[in-house]
Amino acid sequence: MAITDNEADSRWCNRIGMLATIVPAVLFILWCVCWPEIVKGRVLVADIPWMPSFDLSLRFRLDGLSLLFGLIVTGIGTLVCIYSAAYLSGHRHCGRYFFYLLAFMLSMLGLVTADNLLLLFLFWEATTIFSYLLISFDHESPTARENGRQSLLITAAGGLALLLGILLLKGAGYSYVISSWTDLSEPVSGHPLYPYILGAILLGAMTKSAQIPFHFWLPNAMSAPTPISAFLHAATMVKAGIYLLMRCHPLLGDSHLWTVSLATIGGITAVWGAAQAIGPRDLKRVLAYTTMMALGILTLFLAGRSTAALTAAVTFLLVHALYKAALFLAVGSIDHQAGSRNLNEISGLRRTMPLTALAVGAAALSMSGFPLFFGFIGKEIMYAGALAEELIPLLAASTALVANSLMTAVAAVLAIGPFTGPFKAIRQQVVEAPWTMWLGPLLLGGLGILFGLIPGWVSRALVEPAVNAFHPNGEEVRLALFHGFNLPLVLSMLTLSFGIGAYLLRDRLHRVLIAPLTGLPFGAEKGYYGSLNRFMKGSGTLTEALQNGSLHFYLAVIIGALIVAVGWPLTGGVLGWVDFSSPLPDPAVLALLVFIAAAALVVVTARKRLAAIGGLGGIGGGVALLFLSYGAPDIALTQLMVETLTIIFVSLAMLRLPAIERSRLRPPRRRLGDGLLSLAAGTLLALLLMGIGRVSLDRSLTAFFEANSYLAAHGRNIVNVILVDFRSFDTLGEIIVVVLAAWAAVTLIRKPMEP
């Protein structure tokens, strides 16, 4: 990163970091003020009308689930801002960093409080854009840029799928208002569009939350600064997909398709992520794979329908946020102080970085599910939730057991590897990180212990309101440190035992099970790059074909596209739509049409530019007379004036161009093609005009202008009033276009003529 030794840059970074901290800190306090009311069951709503014709309003809602996400986002966001001020001290782009960070945080807050699905989508896309800017923050690194682009393409593609699902949902007759879904009398699962709606929304959630096969962007996103990784993984970006699944659970969750899809995807992602986490030596990459595991587990439990399963999902969401943010920030401190975060290059840091070691130890114990820690409660409720399910008890329990065991082994790697053994680091002198950098990890690691000791308060104040927000069946949610000697307790003990065994055999496990899979010639990431390369080659070929530098070709493409786009839908019923039995117009109008056609013929056959200009003038004058003959003198006068002005400009320009004879060198075949294209376009427009004449017009606008032109705009000429008053900005734009055209013509005129 662009770190300098300039003291002024360091002071500036510290100052702006502390100022930026005010925003999440104030929001966290605000969330805490609302907290007691939400725990009592109240819901705070703010509704501001925005675009009622699109059923879109700025409707925000704070309930138990929004509160939990908001506390995580603002609480961890506050610690991340404090941490970043020291971590990026001396960075030249500190201001840019904090702007992206705060914008990203506000986007996430908007996402979790939006009560309108379209509004949620807007914030969803905002998180995509700002996460791209944060991942590629070190823009001088090609790797960072490529990884940022990868995350952007995958999550943005998922966003498009989500938008499609939203539109299909509306098309099926369901409301955009999220809070109304809990009161539906008939679930959407019975609608014929349900599989498509579920598939589209699930694609959006999968890409955002890095579910297989879209998982590979998450480890690559480690190019982001470490505090950003902590924020992305613990509190924001990747949890957005999980939040969406929670919100959609009342609407879409009542089907076997939902259960089977989420259980399969989540189970595979959880086991694959946990297994992958054993191999890497880079601590950030290890943490990235553990996030994959956590997201898979959350998806797996959201497949369930019982209160126990959904309680397990919400509890593990909180458990994961605490230990993951602590571990990421601690790894950042190790990298910052020791000069590396690679397990092959660091060891024995417990004496030089005792507070960081303490924070990592607490977070790792919670992550492994050690008794008395909040993670232990999370794992027990996880097993209880899996066994409570009717459809997937064995699958959920066995998947959770395998993933949690591997996670225990990974926790041991994180807690033991950097801090035990002889001292080893890239830097000779390693000291503890400044307080701004150990405060966050230590506080979050301590919360993992505190919440484990007061599970009753956590369930009442945080977990139960969140579960009831999307699963309001009135069942009590109860977390406890000890539920008695039962099967979940046995599974928790087995998890620790298997985890210790996996830690001791980690190298062999990776060599035998994981390494062969990563060497396969196919895979999701390889498929992504292959598809991207084919897309780029296809785009290059198409661009070379269309953008060949010929103005004549561009016009042909535009007209041809118009004929296809407009003409194709009409081919089915155009003959019935157009009335060919209408009587011919009177002889005077027919004479005018013949005159206009003759003028057009003069234009295309003229050998002198002056004759061509005369033909153009004849066409304009003929059209003006047509308007006049049908009782529209205002439009005729306007047409005549515009035509006159245009003719003057065109004359000035064309008379400076080479002679027509020299420019007409196109072969007869191309001229024939141009003629046929022109004939097709003219026929299409004629058919459209003839058809439009049979359609009954909506005269509400006419009535409006008739009623308001004189009273509101004080003008008797309705056309002029429309141009000058009612659509004055459009008229201004048109005038600007005309001025620019005249400017271009003047430039052409001043250019010396070629001999």
Side-chain angles (χ1 to χ4, degrees):
M1 289 190 296
I3 302 289
T4 69
D5 295 330
N6 192 318
E7 290 188 7
D9 288 343
S10 300
R11 286 197 300 273
W12 158 250
C13 195
N14 290 332
R15 193 176 301 123
I16 196 171
M18 290 304 165
L19 286 174
T21 305
I22 295 174
V23 177
V26 169
L27 289 171
F28 181 75
I29 293 170
L30 183 62
W31 246 252
C32 289
V33 170
C34 301
W35 194 346
E37 296 299 318
I38 304 301
V39 174
K40 291 177 184 174
R42 284 194 59 194
V43 175
L44 306 180
V45 178
D47 193 359
I48 304 171
W50 186 12
M51 289 187 281
S53 57
F54 287 94
D55 196 11
L56 176 58
S57 63
L58 297 176
R59 182 180 172 86
F60 297 95
R61 189 170 188 268
L62 186 63
D63 58 9
L65 188 60
S66 303
L67 176 79
L68 177 62
F69 269 91
L71 288 172
I72 293 174
V73 170
T74 54
I76 294 178
T78 303
L79 297 176
V80 166
C81 283
I82 295 172
Y83 183 95
S84 301
Y87 185 81
L88 272 80
S89 181
H91 198 288
R92 287 179 300 177
H93 302 304
C94 255
R96 184 186 304 173
Y97 170 88
F98 282 105
F99 173 75
Y100 293 161
L101 177 60
L102 293 181
F104 182 61
M105 184 192 67
L106 294 175
S107 301
M108 191 66 195
L109 283 179
L111 192 153
V112 299
T113 54
D115 194 29
N116 185 293
L117 206 50
L118 283 178
L119 188 62
L120 181 148
F121 174 75
L122 294 178
F123 288 114
W124 179 282
E125 290 301 85
T127 60
T128 298
I129 293 170
F130 287 113
S131 66
Y132 159 71
L133 294 173
L134 288 169
I135 293 170
S136 55
F137 179 70
D138 187 14
H139 60 275
E140 294 177 357
S141 164
T143 304
R145 294 199 302 271
E146 171 55 29
N147 293 338
R149 185 181 70 164
Q150 186 182 73
S151 71
L152 177 69
L153 289 177
I154 293 174
T155 54
L160 291 177
L162 173 62
L163 179 61
L164 176 63
I166 292 171
L167 297 178
L168 287 175
L169 186 67
K170 186 65 177 177
Y174 292 88
S175 172
Y176 286 145
V177 179
I178 297 171
S179 57
S180 67
W181 296 346
T182 54
D183 301 324
L184 286 176
S185 57
E186 295 183 2
V188 70
S189 57
H191 198 278
L193 288 177
Y194 174 72
Y196 307 102
I197 296 171
L198 175 61
I201 292 179
L202 198 54
L203 270 177
M206 287 171 63
T207 53
K208 202 76 163 180
S209 289
Q211 302 292 308
I212 282 180
F214 308 106
H215 61 287
F216 52 88
W217 72 264
L218 187 62
N220 293 337
M222 292 300 100
S223 304
T226 303
I228 295 304
S229 299
F231 202 42
L232 283 172
H233 287 232
T236 51
M237 172 83 165
V238 297
K239 296 285 177 63
I242 300 300
Y243 175 81
L244 179 68
L245 292 178
M246 288 178 171
R247 283 300 185 198
C248 291
H249 197 280
L251 181 71
L252 306 174
D254 185 27
S255 75
H256 289 333
L257 184 58
W258 167 279
T259 302
V260 173
S261 302
L262 267 67
T264 305
I265 295 166
I268 295 174
T269 304
V271 174
W272 180 254
Q276 287 286 319
I278 292 179
R281 308 302 291 169
D282 182 352
L283 289 174
K284 278 187 72 176
R285 205 163 182 85
V286 171
L287 291 174
Y289 282 118
T290 61
T291 302
M292 268 184 61
M293 170 268 174
L295 297 171
I297 285 289
L298 289 169
T299 304
L300 171 66
F301 280 91
L302 288 174
R305 303 176 195 173
S306 66
T307 302
L310 301 181
T311 301
V314 172
T315 306
F316 187 61
L317 176 83
L318 182 57
V319 172
H320 176 260
L322 294 177
Y323 78 69
K324 186 51 62 70
L327 289 173
F328 258 117
L329 295 178
V331 167
S333 298
I334 293 171
D335 191 15
H336 192 269
Q337 300 301 110
S340 174
R341 58 173 189 257
N342 192 307
L343 287 171
N344 294 328
E345 299 173 341
I346 53 173
S347 64
L349 298 178
R350 64 187 181 282
R351 294 188 183 87
T352 53
M353 302 182 69
L355 295 176
T356 303
L358 185 62
V360 170
L365 287 172
S366 184
M367 178 181 174
S368 64
F370 199 78
L372 300 182
F373 284 82
F374 193 38
F376 173 76
I377 297 172
K379 280 191 172 50
E380 269 221 331
I381 193 67
M382 197 184 292
Y383 291 129
L387 296 172
E389 281 298 309
E390 295 179 0
L391 293 177
I392 53 170
L394 291 179
L395 172 66
S398 56
T399 303
L401 179 62
V402 173
N404 287 333
S405 300
L406 293 171
M407 200 52 49
T408 301
V410 175
V413 171
L414 293 168
I416 296 173
F419 300 105
T420 59
F423 175 79
K424 186 168 65 174
I426 297 297
R427 292 178 181 162
Q428 295 299 322
Q429 297 291 331
V430 177
V431 296
E432 182 58 89
W435 73 270
T436 50
M437 294 180 67
W438 56 253
L439 174 67
L442 205 58
L443 186 60
L444 294 167
L447 284 177
I449 304 173
L450 180 64
F451 283 8
L453 298 176
I454 52 171
W457 179 85
V458 176
S459 59
R460 284 193 306 275
L462 289 171
V463 177
E464 184 171 331
V467 173
N468 287 337
F470 68 99
H471 187 66
N473 64 350
E475 290 184 35
E476 182 185 6
V477 174
R478 181 170 173 267
L479 301 180
L481 193 58
F482 182 66
H483 287 277
F485 294 99
N486 51 21
L487 188 54
L489 180 63
V490 173
L491 291 173
S492 295
M493 294 301 107
L494 284 177
T495 299
L496 289 174
S497 304
F498 291 161
I500 293 171
Y503 171 73
L504 297 176
L505 300 173
R506 61 188 183 283
D507 292 334
R508 186 175 300 176
L509 282 175
H510 180 261
R511 189 170 54 252
V512 174
L513 298 178
I514 307 306
L517 294 177
T518 55
L520 292 175
F522 56 86
E525 189 166 7
K526 292 183 177 68
Y528 162 79
Y529 281 114
S531 302
L532 190 62
N533 289 334
R534 284 191 288 275
F535 177 78
M536 295 299 289
K537 286 181 181 177
S539 301
T541 304
L542 187 63
T543 302
E544 288 177 3
L546 293 178
Q547 300 291 323
N548 60 2
S550 168
L551 181 60
H552 174 269
F553 181 73
Y554 296 161
L555 283 175
V557 169
I558 292 171
I559 295 172
L562 174 71
I563 293 171
V564 173
V566 179
W568 178 257
L570 301 178
T571 53
V574 66
L575 293 179
W577 188 46
V578 178
D579 184 10
F580 292 98
S581 62
S582 301
L584 290 175
D586 58 51
V589 173
L590 280 177
L592 278 175
L593 292 177
V594 172
F595 173 73
I596 292 171
L601 190 63
V602 169
V603 173
V604 298
T605 58
R607 295 291 180 182
K608 300 292 183 183
R609 294 200 181 278
L610 194 58
I613 294 170
L616 287 174
I619 294 173
V623 171
L625 290 174
L626 268 181
F627 286 137
L628 192 61
S629 65
Y630 280 100
D634 296 336
I635 301 176
L637 181 60
T638 304
Q639 165 74 19
L640 195 60
M641 294 184 69
V642 171
E643 194 67 30
T644 303
L645 192 61
T646 305
I647 289 297
I648 292 172
F649 285 145
V650 172
S651 302
L652 292 173
M654 293 186 68
L655 289 175
R656 302 284 296 181
L657 296 176
I660 293 178
E661 291 82 359
R662 281 187 289 152
S663 63
R664 282 187 172 166
L665 300 176
R666 292 194 299 275
R669 178 174 54 82
R670 292 186 60 183
R671 297 177 67 181
L672 178 62
D674 293 344
L676 292 175
L677 192 65
S678 303
L679 188 62
T683 304
L684 174 66
L685 290 177
L687 290 173
L688 280 175
L689 290 173
M690 292 169 69
I692 290 172
R694 296 191 61 192
V695 177
S696 58
L697 299 177
D698 180 5
R699 301 190 63 81
S700 57
L701 278 178
T702 305
F704 171 82
F705 288 124
E706 287 174 349
N708 292 281
S709 292
Y710 181 74
L711 296 178
H714 307 290
R716 296 179 183 278
N717 188 315
I718 293 179
V719 175
N720 290 346
V721 167
I722 292 174
L723 290 174
V724 177
D725 291 276
F726 290 112
R727 46 163 301 207
S728 55
F729 280 111
D730 290 346
T731 305
L732 179 63
E734 291 167 357
I735 292 172
I736 291 172
V737 171
V738 172
V739 171
L740 290 175
W743 194 353
V746 170
T747 304
L748 284 174
I749 292 168
R750 287 180 175 176
K751 185 178 179 180
M753 293 184 64
E754 295 181 2

